Amino acid sequence: MNILITGANGQLGNEMQVLSKENRQHTYFFTDVQELDICDEQAVHGFVKDNRIDVIVNCAAYTAVDKAEDNQELCDKLNHVAPGYLAAAAEACGAALIQVSTDYVFDGTGYTPYTEEAATCPNSVYGSTKLAGEQAVMKHCSRAMVIRTAWLYSIYGNNFVKTMLRLGRERETLGVVFDQIGTPTYANDLARAIFAAVNRGIVPGVYHFSNEGVCSWYDFTLAIHRLAGIKTCKVSPLHTDEFPAKAPRPHYSVLDKTKIKKTFGIDIPHWEASLAVCMKNLEE
């Protein structure tokens, strides 16, 4: 199959490039904005048609959650309008599309893991535009898969793990929120799930994927420091209101992964096990 991966320079896009070497049966087109501007409708349709794309994996997104509150137009263009262009181009060529979405489509007031059928209620520009992107994709492409994920990190780019490592080595004390509960997701694990869907045959619909288990950002930080051997930084738990941010965060966004596990026959590692793998790869 001919597979187009957009946002190839991001965390997930880089992991897709790594795993493409284990999946050599396909032909890949890795693009970022320099190679293909997904906000250009004509360019998208031309690229998909000219390269006879069979599957599009859209890893591109506007993910600066706080900045999005002041950049609504750009955020909407990348997270909502562009996925609609990709979906329409896929439909025109009989291709499938995998759209990566987020736990921010929920307001986080729940207290049990969110299933795919749970009511969405985003309370930020980022979450609202990502939900609109989901809807555009499902509307315009009959072979569309939406995969919602959360707390993504990897050895690539900027992310929470790298930030906590840096701060842990720079500071003697550090405050991290303990009243936001979710599950970290190692981007390599998400990329493997995407390849499982592609190789086993895409089943349209909405799916959830994160690593297994539950923690707070505070717990996550303690695990990062423990694995890195950082003992000189005291980490203290903070309430969300002690850490002001422009965009509200979901207080609880644990995702139920039953559907994706059953549909594609995948096992998902616990977040601590995957964190250990990522930390080891960061050291190499």
Side-chain angles (χ1 to χ4, degrees), residues 44-45 48 53-58 80-99 132-146 202-207:
V44 167
H45 279 264
V48 172
I53 299 300
D54 299 297
V55 178
I56 301 171
V57 181
N58 183 27
H80 166 211
V81 178
Y85 293 160
L86 290 167
E91 186 70 11
C93 297
L97 169 65
I98 296 177
Q99 166 74 4
E134 289 185 13
Q135 295 165 343
V137 161
M138 301 300 283
K139 177 182 177 181
H140 294 295
C141 181
S142 58
R143 297 180 63 210
M145 258 184 82
V146 170
I202 287 172
V203 181
V206 179
Y207 296 85

Side-chain angles (χ1 to χ4, degrees), residues 133-276:
E134 289 185 13
Q135 295 165 343
V137 161
M138 301 300 283
K139 177 182 177 181
H140 294 295
C141 181
S142 58
R143 297 180 63 210
M145 258 184 82
V146 170
I147 304 179
R148 295 173 180 151
T149 192
W151 297 24
L152 200 67
Y153 69 92
S154 70
I155 64 172
Y156 302 103
N158 298 315
N159 55 65
F160 186 81
V161 172
K162 288 186 176 181
T163 299
M164 291 304 107
L165 285 171
R166 176 176 57 78
L167 294 178
R169 288 165 178 147
E170 290 176 356
R171 299 183 182 180
E172 294 181 358
T173 61
L174 183 62
V176 183
V177 294
F178 77 97
D179 57 356
Q180 292 175 25
I181 308 299
T183 311
T185 305
Y186 183 27
N188 184 272
D189 291 332
L190 175 56
R192 289 184 186 279
I194 290 171
F195 271 108
V198 170
N199 293 334
R200 293 178 187 228
I202 287 172
V203 181
V206 179
Y207 296 85
H208 288 172
F209 184 93
S210 66
N211 281 110
E212 297 283 21
V214 178
C215 68
S216 68
W217 291 108
Y218 168 72
D219 299 316
F220 192 21
T221 302
L222 291 181
I224 293 165
H225 286 190
R226 184 178 69 251
L227 286 166
I230 296 173
K231 299 177 181 179
T232 54
C233 179
K234 177 178 171 52
V235 182
S236 301
L238 292 182
H239 291 92
T240 296
D241 58 14
E242 296 178 81
F243 191 83
K246 182 157 276 193
R249 267 66 171 171
H251 277 279
Y252 181 93
S253 62
V254 179
L255 302 175
D256 187 308
K257 279 82 70 173
T258 304
K259 183 179 178 182
I260 200 167
K261 289 189 286 188
K262 285 186 174 179
T263 303
F264 301 107
I266 60 174
D267 292 319
I268 303 177
H270 189 273
W271 70 265
E272 288 188 85
S274 290
L275 176 61

